[in-house]
Amino acid sequence: MRSLLVFAGLLAVAFGIENFVGHQVLRISAADEAQVDKVKELEELELDFWRAPVHPDLPIDVRVPFASLQGVKAHLESHSIDYSIMIEDLQELVDEEQLYMSRRHFMPLTIETFNYASYHTLDEIYGFMDLLAAEKPNLVSRIQIGWSYEGRPINILKFSTGGVKRPAIWIDTGIHSREWVTQASGIIFAKKLLDGYGKDASVTSILDNFDIFLEIVTNPDGFAYTHSKNRMWRKTRSINSGSSCVGVDPNRNWDAGFGVAGSSGNPCSETYRGPRANSESEVKAIVDFVKSHGNIKAFISIHSYSQLLLYPYGYTTKKAADAQELDALAKKAVDALASLHNTKYKYGSIITTIYQASGGTIDWTYEQGIKYSYTFELRDTGRYGFMLPASQIIPTAEETWLALKVIMEHTRDHPY
């Protein structure tokens, strides 16, 4: 096993893939605001914060390159800030993930032989979408809604039993490209919709009344890059004028509180908002689709990690007009999710549950009149973070599906 992992590492170097040997992920526990401020000083090193330093009630997770470890730990210890090591060597997890993929998956011949318990590349996912559409063309179709910055098609699945611009539900996964469990879950959601119609009373009723649009790979350039060059890539791959740093955070690029606190104006930041709202073709494609459709009633954007179900707002402390209903529905959804594997989620508005985030997807959709706008943060709470083992794909997707059904059923039963 060890020799295989070493061989995988050598191949990565040969192909110019970003190497994370010796990188550790630290869980930092700040005791008070003063300690949070001291942790924020580390942001000058342009470290990869998986969970940002915001306030003492929230843990802080940060990936630290080997060359910076000694200095970062010394900084924390000198200010009596507690930390623990969540991931001892990130590259070991990356190598294990790649080895598992190489052993377990193959190009699918049918939707039944497709390996749902493995992570997949962009080409494999797009191939799966075509298989789905071919299996039941009267229920499923693939639609291209735009082109990515690097010229890849932006594809979505449409599940429909007929009609034009019927009330619709939108689900997207993978807007942050390194959150692989989300794209993998999106694949399983698609299969459940395909299999459920005519067999599952809830799915049948929903699809008899609504179309469902599912975008499995919302950031295709970034996702392809996580497979070819850098497993930890989060942003898009657009070129930033005047900077050597590439990409924009597509969840800070929407025209809802764009540019206010809760995003960065630094192109090298993981939360860089971009030069203007909707500058990213991946975001603009969804904006144009939503506006053109005009009858989307629920919009659910799926991320990882932290085990949260969130609703607007993120950019302002102003309460959403429908906050009471959104909160009650979120509770019902997370209770359904927990019923399967006892996975515990927190829920609430973005700004009160985690932090201020501006230019976010569901703030924009809510301001477009889509009442049932939600963001999930899937498993886990930090043990593996973005490197969730493939063995957790199916349980993660299955429990999330129960929550999604609650939201979709509520949308069906409460027309507006």
Side-chain angles (χ1 to χ4, degrees):
M1 175 68 168
R2 182 66 187 173
S3 61
L4 284 171
L5 292 177
V6 170
F7 179 66
L10 291 172
L11 281 178
V13 172
F15 286 99
I17 300 172
E18 187 80 17
N19 192 287
F20 304 102
V21 171
H23 290 219
Q24 292 185 347
V25 177
L26 305 182
R27 164 66 56 87
I28 302 170
S29 301
D32 51 35
E33 293 291 349
Q35 287 196 347
V36 171
D37 289 340
K38 286 298 177 184
V39 177
K40 286 181 178 179
E41 291 177 6
L42 296 173
E43 291 178 327
E44 296 176 7
L45 300 176
E46 294 184 358
L47 302 176
D48 181 12
F49 278 92
W50 289 12
R51 299 178 77 172
V54 182
H55 51 75
D57 295 334
L58 292 175
I60 302 160
D61 296 344
V62 60
R63 173 173 62 87
V64 184
F66 179 75
S68 302
L69 271 175
Q70 187 174 355
V72 168
K73 290 178 179 179
H75 177 82
L76 297 173
E77 290 164 6
S78 69
H79 295 96
S80 302
I81 301 173
D82 290 338
Y83 70 89
S84 58
I85 299 171
M86 298 292 285
I87 298 175
E88 185 76 37
D89 189 328
L90 182 60
Q91 188 61 43
E92 289 187 3
L93 292 183
V94 172
D95 290 344
E96 288 171 9
E97 184 178 68
Q98 290 300 312
L99 186 62
Y100 185 88
M101 287 175 67
S102 67
R103 282 177 169 175
R104 288 294 304 274
H105 85 210
F106 44 85
M107 286 303 292
L109 299 175
T110 71
I111 58 171
E112 299 306 325
T113 60
F114 190 88
N115 187 358
Y116 296 92
S118 179
Y119 292 118
H120 291 275
T121 65
L122 178 66
D123 287 344
E124 289 165 355
I125 293 173
Y126 277 4
F128 168 79
M129 293 168 72
D130 288 338
L131 283 171
L132 225 63
E135 182 77 11
K136 290 186 179 178
N138 292 332
L139 178 66
V140 191
S141 57
R142 177 179 59 79
I143 302 171
Q144 183 178 339
I145 63 169
W147 296 93
S148 71
Y149 179 83
E150 293 181 336
R152 293 180 175 88
I154 300 173
N155 294 332
I156 66 173
L157 290 172
K158 178 183 180 181
F159 295 82
S160 179
T161 54
V164 179
K165 292 191 177 179
R166 297 196 306 167
I169 295 165
W170 172 284
I171 303 168
D172 67 59
T173 58
I175 195 169
H176 287 148
S177 49
R178 64 185 174 185
E179 298 168 6
W180 279 14
V181 73
T182 69
Q183 297 97 337
S185 294
I187 291 169
I188 293 173
F189 302 155
K191 181 69 159 54
K192 286 187 175 293
L193 288 167
L194 183 84
D195 292 344
Y197 186 71
K199 298 176 183 176
D200 179 302
S202 173
V203 170
T204 302
S205 175
I206 291 165
L207 284 172
D208 279 343
N209 291 279
F210 286 82
D211 293 342
I212 297 178
F213 297 102
L214 173 58
E215 185 174 17
I216 298 176
V217 186
T218 308
N219 178 3
D221 293 348
F223 186 59
Y225 198 73
T226 62
H227 283 272
S228 65
K229 294 294 183 183
N230 184 344
R231 175 63 179 83
M232 288 296 109
W233 192 261
R234 164 186 167 98
K235 301 189 289 183
T236 63
R237 291 293 302 164
S238 56
I239 301 300
N240 293 313
S241 178
S243 175
S244 60
C245 295
V246 172
V248 166
D249 181 345
N251 198 38
R252 300 293 188 278
N253 190 239
W254 301 72
D255 195 9
F258 179 81
V260 306
S263 65
S264 174
N266 176 3
C268 298
S269 169
E270 294 288 0
T271 58
Y272 175 52
R273 59 182 168 259
R276 62 189 179 280
N278 304 333
S279 63
E280 302 311 283
S281 54
E282 297 81 1
V283 172
K284 186 66 162 52
I286 302 173
V287 167
D288 290 346
F289 182 86
V290 169
K291 287 183 172 181
S292 173
H293 187 279
N295 202 18
I296 294 176
K297 299 300 183 181
F299 192 109
I300 304 159
S301 188
I302 298 181
H303 294 247
S304 73
Y305 62 97
S306 287
Q307 294 175 198
L308 303 168
L309 179 52
L310 306 169
Y311 52 82
Y313 283 105
Y315 78 86
T316 175
T317 55
K318 177 181 71 175
K319 264 194 170 186
D322 304 289
Q324 187 173 352
E325 182 183 3
L326 293 173
D327 194 76
L329 178 54
K331 182 184 187 307
K332 189 176 178 183
V334 301
D335 286 348
L337 186 152
S339 71
L340 188 60
H341 299 297
N342 201 34
T343 306
K344 302 300 184 184
Y345 270 54
K346 295 179 180 178
Y347 63 93
S349 70
I350 297 168
I351 197 166
T352 60
T353 308
I354 45 174
Y355 46 66
Q356 184 174 16
S358 60
T361 307
I362 66 166
D363 282 0
W364 181 82
T365 59
Y366 186 74
E367 291 186 343
Q368 296 301 303
I370 303 175
K371 182 198 291 191
Y372 302 115
S373 291
Y374 286 98
T375 287
F376 280 83
E377 295 279 356
L378 304 185
R379 293 189 188 186
D380 55 9
T381 56
R383 169 61 186 90
Y384 293 101
F386 302 123
M387 296 301 301
L388 197 71
S391 60
Q392 294 195 40
I393 291 172
I394 290 176
T396 299
E398 287 182 338
E399 67 191 11
T400 308
W401 177 245
L402 297 180
L404 285 173
K405 282 175 68 175
V406 167
I407 296 170
M408 292 191 292
E409 288 164 358
H410 186 92
T411 304
R412 176 199 62 199
D413 297 340
H414 296 80
Y416 65 93

